[in-house]
Amino acid sequence: MIELEDVSYGYGGGTLLTDISLKLAPGSFHFLTGPSGAGKTTLLKLCYGELIATKGRVSLFEHDARNMTRDDVALVRRRVGVVHQDCQFLDHLSVAENLALPLTVAGRSTDPQELRELMKWVGLEAQAGAHPPELSGGERQRAALARAVIVSPDVILADEPTGNVDWEMSLRLLTLLVELNRMGKTVMIATHDMHLIRSAKSQVQARVLRISDHRLQLAGADL
Amino acid sequence: MNPIVAKILHFIAGDDQADRVVPPTGFTARLTVFAAASMAFLTVFAMALSLATGRLADRWGDELAQSSTIRISAPEGQMDAQMLAVMEVLVTTPGVKDARPLSDEEQHALLEPWFGPDLPLDTLPIPRLIEVIEEGDGYDAAGLRARLAGEAPGAVLDDHTRWREPLVHAAGRLRSLGFVAILLIAAITGVMITLAASAALSANAQVIRVLRLVGAQDAYIARAFVRRYTLRALIGAAVGTVLGMIAIAFLPTADVAGGFLTGLGFQGWHWLWPLIIPPLAALVAFAATRNAALSTLKERS
């Protein structure tokens, strides 16, 4: 699905990531850890074509990312759901319309019943008609997750999804991501929250990867 | 259905959901409509000027090409004799349809603009004028001059060529200037809409980021802006065109004064010409916005 071979990334003369090799197999679950500024977000962006590696090869669904046009990258993003810590929405649209946005841009119609079920799954059915600025931090994260999965992507990449929410909401988000993994989705969560990783132990078999000194390391035994 | 026609119809019909992804922008919307309306209004006038000068050039060309004048300057006692001689020559000249001496009143009217109404025509040694109307391909001017020199030495043929050509040329130039003005107005419209669209694209950077994140292709994002600006330009240009046509229709006539711009406006089926302005403005807006949108999206990739 997504494969990085000896990938390096740098800018402004500096190097952020060096010789990263990673393969996200179908149905796998990964945590990506490391201190702030280590390059977790950069690595995720390489995985969905937002950035192009300065060295090495990134393969997105059998396509070399270096040779992909902007439209090719757009098509990749229909197969990769992305959830950011600072999730952005179209503030003039309702929450329901924002959630349906990936379907809209793909030219697909929205099934109102499926949309309702999705909103119920993330606990936002009461906020369907609200606008994003009216949502709390946790609600925004759940809305972002729902938006990421509405097109049934193969891979879900979450960048510090619990960074702005309390512990209870963090566990709830984790549970949702684990449920998606059980449905066969590949999940990778970038986080520096070790409590969250430990909490996942009882729910899912995950690999923990750590970025340290610009390189990717396996952080101890698999959970 | 022709695929191009189908695409145009699909573009006009639009997609309600796709149209809503870009938030309404009040300022740039009003700016675009106003700019398109103003430019269409000016285009109507430029078009009217161009068509009017075209008619003027044709009229001068046709009317003056079919007529000429013979001026007789002779001593008082010989004037009538030379007039008769000239008329006899003209009657026997092939290509001359009609010839007649201008009456005193007609000569007075010709001189009045220069010397005023109280001109004492009787006491002034004014040449007599004979108007000659041609037929077919006209007469042989060199032959006629030679015959006049022999029969009436005081007669001079003026076939209007000397001053007709510069006038027709000037009117033609004015018509060309009208077309140039229309092209410039179209270019300015394109520039203004490009600026408005670029401003809207910059103001909607977050919208573009979100759309890209969820898998929108450039064409989809551009289309959301392009359709909006094209329709605004179409509506603005339609309003401006109607107002321009109304203004032209109510222009005061200058027949009495007989000024150069007499007849500025549209005549007959030429009233249909302004109707092409709104679709052309929409076309300009489509090209300008599409170019601006795709350039901006490329820069932000």
Side-chain angles (χ1 to χ4, degrees):
Chain A
M1 280 189 172
I2 296 176
E3 191 170 354
L4 287 75
E5 291 177 58
D6 300 323
V7 166
S8 296
Y9 183 82
Y11 60 90
T15 302
L16 190 58
L17 299 172
T18 304
D19 296 334
I20 304 279
S21 291
L22 171 67
K23 187 174 183 180
L24 296 184
S28 61
F29 198 114
H30 292 80
F31 281 105
L32 182 63
T33 68
S36 294
K40 299 190 293 292
T41 300
T42 300
L43 182 55
L44 287 188
K45 285 183 174 177
L46 289 168
C47 289
Y48 65 89
E50 176 78 14
L51 295 175
I52 300 296
T54 48
K55 180 174 157 286
R57 182 175 186 273
V58 176
S59 173
L60 305 176
F61 303 100
E62 315 296 330
H63 294 99
D64 190 333
R66 281 173 304 196
N67 302 328
M68 294 172 80
T69 64
R70 291 197 302 282
D71 283 347
D72 292 334
V73 172
L75 294 178
V76 162
R77 289 183 190 170
R78 294 178 191 177
R79 300 182 68 180
V80 180
V82 181
V83 182
H84 287 293
Q85 177 182 357
D86 175 26
C87 38
Q88 294 183 327
F89 297 94
L90 301 187
D91 291 344
H92 64 287
L93 298 182
S94 70
V95 171
E97 287 171 320
N98 267 285
L99 265 52
L101 204 54
L103 293 172
T104 304
V105 302
R108 291 161 56 181
S109 58
T110 309
D111 182 341
Q113 180 60 31
E114 284 182 13
L115 184 60
R116 266 195 301 274
E117 284 176 12
L118 180 64
M119 297 196 75
K120 188 177 176 184
W121 178 66
V122 293
L124 288 176
E125 65 262 57
Q127 284 79 16
H131 286 80
E134 300 167 34
L135 299 182
S136 68
E139 288 170 337
R140 287 176 74 86
Q141 290 293 347
R142 281 181 279 145
L145 182 60
R147 184 181 66 185
V149 302
I150 195 168
V151 284
S152 191
D154 299 309
V155 180
I156 294 154
L157 303 175
D159 186 9
E160 300 282 6
T162 60
N164 288 334
V165 297
D166 58 28
W167 178 242
E168 190 181 344
M169 185 55 65
S170 296
L171 289 179
R172 192 168 172 188
L173 282 166
L174 177 65
T175 303
L176 292 173
L177 288 163
V178 169
E179 280 180 29
L180 287 167
N181 179 247
R182 284 177 185 152
M183 293 176 199
K185 310 296 181 192
T186 303
V187 177
M188 182 153 77
I189 304 172
T191 180
H192 60 264
D193 186 347
M194 297 309 290
H195 295 296
L196 186 75
I197 297 173
R198 289 189 198 102
S199 299
K201 186 177 179 182
S202 59
Q203 299 182 51
V204 67
Q205 185 176 6
R207 300 190 77 190
V208 182
L209 307 168
R210 179 178 173 80
I211 298 177
S212 180
D213 295 330
H214 314 301
R215 294 174 186 278
L216 193 63
Q217 303 163 345
L218 192 63
D222 290 356
L223 288 168
Chain B
M1 186 185 289
N2 184 310
I4 295 173
V5 175
K7 274 189 176 179
I8 292 172
L9 289 178
H10 178 69
F11 180 81
I12 292 170
D15 176 345
D16 186 46
Q17 277 191 310
D19 288 345
R20 280 173 48 76
V21 299
V22 178
T25 45
F27 174 69
T28 53
R30 286 192 294 274
L31 179 71
T32 309
V33 173
F34 178 75
S38 304
M39 293 300 146
F41 188 83
L42 293 175
T43 306
V44 172
F45 277 89
M47 195 178 266
L49 175 72
S50 192
L51 291 170
T53 49
R55 285 195 302 271
L56 201 61
D58 292 344
R59 198 168 66 232
W60 283 346
D62 292 344
E63 287 179 359
L64 297 179
Q66 291 298 310
S67 69
S68 52
T69 306
I70 293 176
R71 187 181 74 246
I72 304 169
S73 301
E76 183 66 30
Q78 297 177 22
M79 183 66 84
D80 290 341
Q82 291 212 19
M83 175 89 78
L84 278 173
V86 170
M87 291 301 290
E88 282 176 11
V89 167
L90 291 173
V91 167
T92 57
T93 301
V96 173
K97 183 182 178 185
D98 189 24
R100 68 175 185 89
L102 294 191
S103 66
D104 288 346
E105 290 73 25
E106 285 174 312
Q107 292 211 172
H108 194 273
L110 284 173
L111 294 171
E112 190 179 302
W114 309 99
F115 297 106
D118 301 325
L119 179 68
L121 203 62
D122 302 338
T123 60
L124 292 173
I126 293 172
R128 297 309 305 263
L129 300 175
I130 296 174
E131 184 187 34
V132 181
I133 306 298
E134 300 169 26
E135 64 181 359
D137 294 333
Y139 53 78
D140 171 17
L144 181 57
R145 282 197 178 93
R147 288 181 65 198
L148 288 173
E151 302 290 334
V156 176
L157 172 65
D158 178 2
D159 61 2
H160 302 162
T161 305
R162 205 158 26 94
W163 56 278
R164 186 184 71 214
E165 283 182 352
L167 277 177
V168 173
H169 188 62
R173 278 288 179 86
L174 208 53
R175 174 166 47 183
S176 301
L177 279 176
F179 282 123
V180 170
I182 291 170
L183 290 178
L184 285 175
I185 290 169
I188 293 167
T189 305
V191 169
M192 292 181 81
I193 290 174
T194 298
L195 290 174
S198 296
L201 285 157
S202 297
N204 287 293
Q206 185 188 331
V207 172
I208 293 171
R209 270 198 302 275
V210 171
L211 290 175
R212 280 193 158 154
L213 184 70
V214 298
Q217 293 179 315
D218 281 3
Y220 179 90
I221 301 171
R223 197 160 52 236
F225 287 92
V226 169
R227 184 170 181 277
R228 182 170 294 191
Y229 280 86
T230 302
L231 291 180
R232 283 174 187 168
L234 181 66
I235 292 166
V239 172
T241 300
V242 169
L243 292 177
M245 290 173 76
I246 291 171
I248 290 283
F250 285 97
L251 266 183
T253 56
D255 290 342
V256 178
F260 178 69
L261 288 177
T262 297
L264 176 66
F266 303 104
Q267 288 179 1
W269 69 270
H270 282 180
W271 278 101
L272 296 176
W273 270 114
L275 300 182
I276 67 167
I277 294 173
L280 281 181
L283 203 62
V284 168
F286 176 86
T289 316
R290 183 175 164 77
N291 189 44
L294 292 179
S295 299
T296 303
L297 293 172
K298 189 177 178 184
E299 283 168 13
R300 292 190 180 163
S301 62

